[in-house]
Amino acid sequence: MCYTVGVDIGSSSSKAVILKNGKEVIATDVLQVGIGSKGPKVILESVLNKSKMERKDIDQIVVTGYGRFTFDEADKQISEISCHAKGIHFLVPEAKTVIDIGGQDAKAISLNSKGKINQFFMNDKCAAGTGRFITVMSKVLEIPLDEMKDYDKKADAPVTVSSTCTVFAESEVISQLAKGATTENIVAGVHNSVAHKVSGLAKRTPLEDNVVMCGGVAKNTGVVRALRETLNRNVIVAPNPQLTGALGAAIYAYEEILKKRRDD
């Protein structure tokens, strides 16, 4: 019997997964606080409590994400790109293109048929095209973040939000409000803006039909709809999309255990 933990420390959330024998998910949790908070420690305690286990029962912990070098409980750190690829291949083996939109960055990852990374691209212009961008816009529009996903359905003339900088884009949105644009049309413009920026990354890869989206922004169905239209491809949302990095980290931890056992 082997139990491993994957912890994903992001800029705005902490996630953890416990795996049994590298395949069976025993416990998961997501906490909406990330690096610089007690979130990573709390999330580990939470999944241990859920599984009625203690730290001594865990064979290996791998940590990933933006804050991975700050977590002393881990046995090893692995990049979030590798962990998202590993987690997605476990959940959706046919996936060839992975789009991960997190709190502070967005990534497009190209996989081969065995789930190995061919190449990847990340955003390089502030928070544009990320979860942070949507959070800023939700505050400007005074819409709860978890309600943003439904507004674009009623849009009849989406506005254009073209700035590649979040600060300037915020000014664009305020200007559209002053002109009388409806909230629905502005939200549609925000979703389209994210989709265009991220699709630009995805189109730099050998974009294929099996596109899978993960990360917290994948829960925003409005962005998913905009991505499908922009890419002109079906975009599948990964099961529990916030957890794919932590899941991949837990699988890496299991593979580390197998390697040590072979070497002993």
Side-chain angles (χ1 to χ4, degrees), residues 125-146:
K125 293 182 179 177
C126 71
T130 70
R132 174 64 179 160
F133 179 83
I134 297 174
T135 300
V136 169
M137 299 311 162
S138 77
K139 290 179 179 176
V140 173
L141 295 167
E142 298 182 323
I143 301 172
L145 190 58
D146 58 358

Side-chain angles (χ1 to χ4, degrees), residues 47-180:
V47 289
L48 289 173
N49 289 335
K50 282 186 174 183
S51 61
K52 303 186 186 309
M53 300 175 77
E54 299 178 21
R55 175 63 181 90
K56 63 181 176 59
D57 301 318
I58 303 299
D59 296 276
Q60 182 97 349
I61 297 177
V62 166
V63 63
T64 187
Y66 188 63
R68 63 185 182 276
F69 295 111
T70 65
F71 191 61
D72 295 335
E73 293 278 350
D75 299 294
K76 188 170 184 176
Q77 301 87 21
I78 296 179
S79 81
E80 61 266 39
I81 292 169
S82 296
C83 288
H84 281 297
K86 180 74 75 175
I88 289 292
H89 185 67
F90 178 85
L91 294 168
V92 190
E94 66 273 22
K96 296 290 181 59
T97 302
V98 179
I99 293 175
D100 167 40
I101 308 181
Q104 291 286 358
D105 58 34
K107 312 171 195 74
I109 308 167
S110 171
L111 304 180
N112 67 19
S113 59
K114 296 182 179 179
K116 301 296 183 184
I117 298 171
N118 285 327
Q119 59 184 157
F120 68 91
F121 298 95
M122 293 181 65
N123 66 318
D124 56 2
K125 293 182 179 177
C126 71
T130 70
R132 174 64 179 160
F133 179 83
I134 297 174
T135 300
V136 169
M137 299 311 162
S138 77
K139 290 179 179 176
V140 173
L141 295 167
E142 298 182 323
I143 301 172
L145 190 58
D146 58 358
E147 294 179 14
M148 286 274 286
K149 63 183 185 296
D150 295 322
Y151 272 73
D152 63 304
K153 292 178 182 176
K154 296 180 180 177
D156 55 8
V159 305
T160 299
V161 180
S162 58
S163 292
T164 56
C165 169
T166 300
V167 175
F168 292 140
E170 182 179 3
S171 297
E172 276 191 70
V173 167
I174 292 171
S175 175
Q176 291 291 346
L177 285 171
K179 293 176 182 175

Side-chain angles (χ1 to χ4, degrees), residues 25-57:
V25 175
I26 300 298
T28 68
D29 204 1
V30 177
L31 194 62
Q32 297 303 331
V33 286
I35 185 173
S37 71
K38 294 180 181 178
K41 182 179 179 181
V42 172
I43 203 74
L44 177 59
E45 292 172 352
S46 172
V47 289
L48 289 173
N49 289 335
K50 282 186 174 183
S51 61
K52 303 186 186 309
M53 300 175 77
E54 299 178 21
R55 175 63 181 90
K56 63 181 176 59
D57 301 318

Side-chain angles (χ1 to χ4, degrees), residues 9-10 32 129 136 144 146-147 187 191 200 213 226 244 248:
I9 306 173
Q32 297 303 331
V136 169
D146 58 358
E147 294 179 14
V187 170
H191 290 169
M213 186 175 175
T244 55

